[in-house]
Amino acid sequence: MSTSSPWPMHMLLTGSLLFGTASAQTPPRRLQPVSFSKVEITDDFWKPKMDKVATVTLEACIQQTEMKTGRIRNFEKVARGKGEKHEGIFYDDSDVFKALEAMAYSLKTHPSEGMEQKCDEWIEKIAAAQQPDGYLNTYYTLTGLGQRYSDMSMHEDYNNGHLIEAAVAYYNATGKQKLLDVAIRWADHFDSIFGPGKRHWVTGHQELELALVKLYKATDERRYLRLADWLLSERGHGYANGYTWRDWKDTAYAQDAVPVKDQREITGHAVRAMYLYTGTADVAAETGDTDYLKAMRRVWEDVVFRNMYVTGGIGSAGSNEGFTNDFDLPNEQAYCETCASVGMVFWNQRMNGLTGHAEYIDILERSLYNGALDGLSLSGDRFFYGNPLASRGQHQRREWFGTACCPSNIARLVASLGDYIYAQTRDGIVLNLFVGSRTQISAGGENVDLQLQSGLPWNGHHTLTVSPNRKTRFNIYIRIPGWLSGRPVPGDLYLPAAGQPRPPAPVFRINGEALAYTVHNGYAVIEHVWQPGDRIEWEFSLPVIRLTAQSNVKSNTSRIALQRGPLVYCVEGTDNEGQAWNVIIPPHAEFDTTSLLILDEPVVALTATVPVLTIAPDRASAQTEARKLTAIPYYTWANRGKTEMQVWLPTAIHDVKINY
Ligand code: FUB
Ligand code: ZN
């Protein structure tokens, strides 16, 4: 399926990658992300969120993990060895590890003695629960070690993938090695049982693959990379058949129906899929196996062009926490698990690294600012597990969940946000996300200090100050956001409604002088000999864009969604006399912007005068009247109590599905 964009893309070049070509021998990585640990975030949008995660969100995770639930107690029980009962669900260990990982990231940007002590305390307990042979899992150790590794769906590998991620993060944050030693002992133990010539293993919930690549990079031990590669190669051959898939007989649910290299379609559980493809991209980046890259591109197109919500959320059904049929994207029933959007951020970052294409960052940005960020309340201590695009007022953020994968997942993403802003190429520096920040990157053989001021997501003004140690030549690649250029096409699910003026291409000025630039793979290429203190300034135009969905998305027929910059907007009852399902947006409705405070969050809201439908008290008649409508950024909804909400708004009266 393909459609053409109503905005002919002056910037959409299909030219060569930023540099080099992939071969089976050489790793194909084109961009190397700059680690969050080297990036200081200074802006007014993300910095307060990171502060809140460091103080409020992680505190909530700690409380829930060790006091309000038995997650830490399970480790204590194993260490005591008195045959006490396991509490909770078999994958609860993973929440401990994921919270630890988030704390580790946060320690790097928000040092805290108290939090570091808490981490050390947990790490002691985890280490004490490890079995002499390296096995680590509180569920099986407390319920019967005889059953271990008997059922691939039981998350033993998933849990310890998160252990590895936490261990690498904590080692990087503090230099302390105890948790890394635990993780290495477990990985060696797993490696001694599974692998070529040993037992088969199909990860029931993918995660270990990407974690093993992190462990390989942290230790330089290639065996872990080989194990990750082998785990990928195990899928799609029926090896899981000798075991009981506990909950699901359908191998497509865990992306195990077809070998990874042959996969073309997105199937099954959304988080499993995202972690699988992230791990696949990680392996491909190290091994240079381009078959993986080709498969991932096919699957990526299936996600982005046929199965993704406008919020960047994925997974439309609760029944499998995942994908259904192409274009089946109901709004009120949308599952859109927070973890799945977090996974979209991971996977798209890896795809950008592998290919050097900005379109992956367009999707990353969409998922980050909308589907993922919606998972965290403005207060920092309430969460959404699912992130629907419409509500009759039944939805409410919660303190915690029985299955509590999402809170620590959004916490670790926000705490490590610096990972997604800058990248390096062989010939320069890449600016991927527009988040006010400061970093040092080496380019042109010099150490370069970069300071970015960005008004996004509220205004489009940008200044990038570039200060190499010494005068030097290199390129700066600045992503032209997809919401300006209309990427990705063809086949994009969401396109600007006809009749809207195309936003102007940005003008870049160096020290006040406008600059001619070329565009490659979605990046403006600024070639220059840089001197300390050089300033690049530009303005991204931020019109309110009315988006329409492809006609195959039946749930959005005759509806529009509103987007400004990276943010998708919604209408919430709180700002609109309690109702959000009674509005009609005529094709040429004019939107203005206005400042609004939602709790302590200053936002740019959208307003327009539009018809709303009112029903007479006797329900015998209906009429429309003009009213001022206010739309707020989607990520801010459901912070002021239960109320109606809609992202996709009807354009005609017969599509209004009013509540009465
Ligand atoms: O199975 C572990 C986690 O629980 C998954 O990633 C989530 O989707 C939830 O099912
Ligand atoms: Zn989750």
Side-chain angles (χ1 to χ4, degrees):
M1 147 139 3
S2 83
T3 53
S4 55
S5 164
W7 297 342
M9 293 310 109
H10 60 292
M11 293 153 189
L12 261 185
L13 300 191
T14 51
S16 62
L17 301 173
L18 289 182
F19 56 80
T21 51
S23 81
Q25 279 75 40
T26 46
R29 186 192 292 285
R30 278 156 176 80
L31 305 183
Q32 179 69 49
V34 173
S35 161
F36 79 96
S37 60
K38 296 195 179 136
V39 179
E40 185 195 348
I41 291 181
T42 53
D43 77 346
D44 295 338
F45 184 77
W46 285 106
K47 170 110 179 32
K49 293 183 179 26
M50 294 175 76
D51 294 345
K52 213 165 260 177
V53 164
T55 51
V56 180
T57 312
L58 290 176
E59 197 46 51
C61 290
I62 292 169
Q63 287 286 320
Q64 292 288 348
T65 305
E66 66 177 11
M67 309 287 291
K68 298 192 180 162
T69 72
R71 285 169 168 82
I72 289 288
R73 284 197 293 277
N74 284 331
F75 287 93
E76 294 169 349
K77 288 177 183 177
V78 170
R80 278 198 291 270
K82 292 195 172 144
E84 293 162 275
K85 258 185 97 182
H86 180 269
E87 291 177 65
I89 311 172
F90 55 85
Y91 43 71
D92 280 358
D93 291 359
S94 67
D95 301 325
V96 176
F97 303 142
K98 220 149 19 121
L100 256 179
E101 184 190 346
M103 288 194 259
Y105 296 144
S106 182
L107 281 176
K108 199 81 191 166
T109 53
H110 296 72
S112 151
E113 240 175 70
M115 190 174 288
E116 192 167 334
Q117 267 169 21
K118 181 56 69 188
C119 291
D120 290 337
E121 197 187 298
W122 283 12
I123 289 168
E124 288 299 326
K125 291 178 182 176
I126 292 164
Q130 188 162 35
Q131 300 303 292
D133 65 353
Y135 185 76
L136 182 59
N137 178 287
T138 66
Y139 176 79
Y140 278 116
T141 314
L142 292 172
T143 59
L145 274 172
Q147 289 302 305
R148 72 185 198 176
Y149 299 132
S150 61
D151 183 335
M152 294 179 188
S153 68
M154 286 295 282
H155 290 50
E156 288 153 289
D157 46 8
Y158 166 88
N159 289 346
N160 290 321
H162 283 303
L163 162 71
I164 292 172
E165 285 202 87
V168 171
Y170 197 63
Y171 175 71
N172 287 339
T174 62
K176 294 181 185 170
Q177 209 168 322
K178 183 152 195 167
L179 193 63
L180 190 59
D181 289 341
V182 171
I184 288 172
R185 266 201 300 281
W186 181 81
D188 290 346
H189 146 82
F190 187 87
D191 189 38
S192 72
I193 303 174
F194 304 101
K198 296 173 250 175
R199 279 174 66 182
H200 285 295
W201 188 262
V202 179
T203 53
H205 188 315
Q206 302 88 322
E207 152 67 20
L208 181 56
E209 305 83 347
L210 75 90
L212 283 168
V213 179
K214 285 194 178 181
L215 190 60
Y216 155 63
K217 288 182 185 167
T219 60
D220 237 358
E221 174 54 78
R222 224 175 153 77
R223 203 159 36 87
Y224 302 133
L225 175 64
R226 283 200 296 272
L227 187 56
D229 201 359
W230 175 80
L231 284 170
L232 295 179
S233 72
E234 285 284 275
R235 309 196 88 76
H237 302 291
Y239 295 144
N241 290 350
Y243 304 83
T244 344
W245 283 94
R246 187 183 157 93
D247 302 316
W248 303 93
K249 302 285 171 230
D250 173 11
T251 49
Y253 168 75
Q255 300 79 37
D256 184 36
V258 176
V260 178
K261 288 183 181 176
D262 299 331
Q263 293 190 11
R264 320 189 71 81
E265 287 172 5
I266 190 73
T267 66
H269 185 271
V271 183
R272 281 170 167 83
M274 292 304 103
Y275 289 2
L276 167 64
Y277 299 126
T278 302
T280 307
D282 285 338
V283 167
E286 299 303 322
T287 62
D289 194 330
T290 50
D291 288 343
Y292 280 136
L293 181 53
K294 286 183 207 144
M296 277 182 299
R297 175 68 202 190
R298 292 191 299 264
V299 176
W300 184 87
E301 289 187 1
D302 198 35
V303 173
V304 172
F305 297 155
R306 292 178 279 280
N307 291 286
M308 182 185 75
Y309 284 91
V310 71
T311 54
I314 51 167
S316 50
S319 54
N320 64 348
E321 298 191 298
F323 299 94
T324 55
N325 301 319
D326 287 352
F327 308 109
D328 173 34
L329 295 163
N331 291 312
E332 199 179 345
Q333 298 77 25
Y335 198 66
C336 289
E337 185 180 336
T338 299
C339 288
S341 288
V342 171
M344 282 285 272
V345 172
F346 295 160
W347 182 30
N348 280 286
Q349 183 210 34
R350 282 12 179 239
M351 293 300 280
N352 172 253
L354 272 173
T355 63
H357 275 275
E359 62 190 341
Y360 298 106
I361 302 296
D362 295 336
I363 301 300
L364 182 160
E365 187 186 56
R366 184 174 286 286
S367 298
L368 173 67
Y369 280 83
N370 302 289
L373 191 52
D374 188 54
L376 183 63
S377 70
L378 298 177
S379 60
D381 59 356
R382 295 284 187 282
F383 307 93
F384 263 149
Y385 188 112
N387 297 272
L389 282 80
S391 174
R392 301 265 175 186
Q394 72 272 40
H395 296 95
Q396 194 175 17
R397 294 168 187 280
R398 304 247 312 264
E399 278 184 36
W400 200 246
F401 309 94
T403 291
C405 45
C406 297
S408 53
N409 224 352
I410 187 64
R412 71 175 174 152
L413 178 69
V414 174
S416 58
L417 182 80
D419 270 347
Y420 305 96
I421 301 170
Y422 303 96
Q424 278 178 289
T425 71
R426 226 178 284 157
D427 63 352
I429 291 168
V430 178
L431 182 54
N432 267 333
L433 282 190
F434 304 97
V435 177
S437 55
R438 186 175 180 157
T439 191
Q440 293 209 330
I441 303 180
S442 108
E446 296 298 330
N447 203 23
V448 184
D449 189 89
L450 290 176
Q451 262 182 277
L452 174 69
Q453 284 171 298
S454 168
L456 286 182
W458 311 125
N459 74 68
H461 188 65
H462 289 82
T463 305
L464 180 64
T465 309
V466 185
S467 292
N469 281 351
R470 231 172 284 133
K471 191 171 166 179
T472 184
R473 172 186 289 280
F474 57 87
N475 294 343
I476 295 187
Y477 298 90
I478 299 176
R479 181 175 66 97
I480 309 286
W483 38 266
L484 266 188
S485 68
R487 270 192 322 265
V489 289
D492 201 353
L493 264 180
Y494 308 109
L495 296 167
Q500 297 174 93
R502 191 175 83 196
V507 174
F508 295 92
R509 292 177 199 282
I510 299 187
N511 302 328
E513 249 180 65
L515 178 91
Y517 62 94
T518 54
V519 178
H520 285 292
N521 296 337
Y523 292 98
V525 185
I526 318 272
E527 299 176 57
H528 193 64
V529 178
W530 302 95
Q531 312 229 39
D534 277 346
R535 283 158 65 90
I536 318 177
E537 283 174 285
W538 70 96
E539 186 82 32
F540 285 143
S541 160
L542 292 181
V544 178
I545 298 172
R546 278 175 286 117
L547 291 172
T548 54
Q550 268 193 35
S551 56
N552 294 348
V553 185
K554 298 291 175 232
S555 45
N556 296 338
T557 304
S558 305
R559 285 170 185 262
I560 58 110
L562 299 168
Q563 180 166 349
R564 182 173 181 269
L567 296 179
V568 171
Y569 279 71
C570 68
V571 171
E572 195 180 30
T574 313
D575 310 294
N576 297 287
E577 301 187 18
Q579 285 181 288
W581 288 67
N582 60 347
V583 301
I584 302 156
I585 311 291
H588 299 293
E590 293 274 334
F591 283 90
D592 287 325
T593 56
T594 185
S595 300
L596 191 72
L597 199 61
I598 302 185
L599 303 183
D600 63 350
E601 181 90 350
V603 306
V604 171
L606 312 180
T607 60
T609 301
V610 298
V612 298
L613 190 67
T614 52
I615 311 271
D618 63 0
R619 300 185 179 188
S621 62
Q623 62 179 37
T624 59
E625 65 183 42
R627 240 192 247 165
K628 185 175 158 204
L629 174 82
T630 301
I632 57 169
Y634 171 72
Y635 80 87
T636 62
W637 84 281
N639 278 286
R640 299 167 294 177
K642 285 184 171 182
T643 178
E644 294 183 2
M645 183 277 289
Q646 283 206 103
V647 169
W648 286 97
L649 307 165
T651 53
I653 195 164
H654 54 261
D655 288 307
V656 174
K657 294 186 179 136
I658 196 167
N659 282 324
Y660 65 92

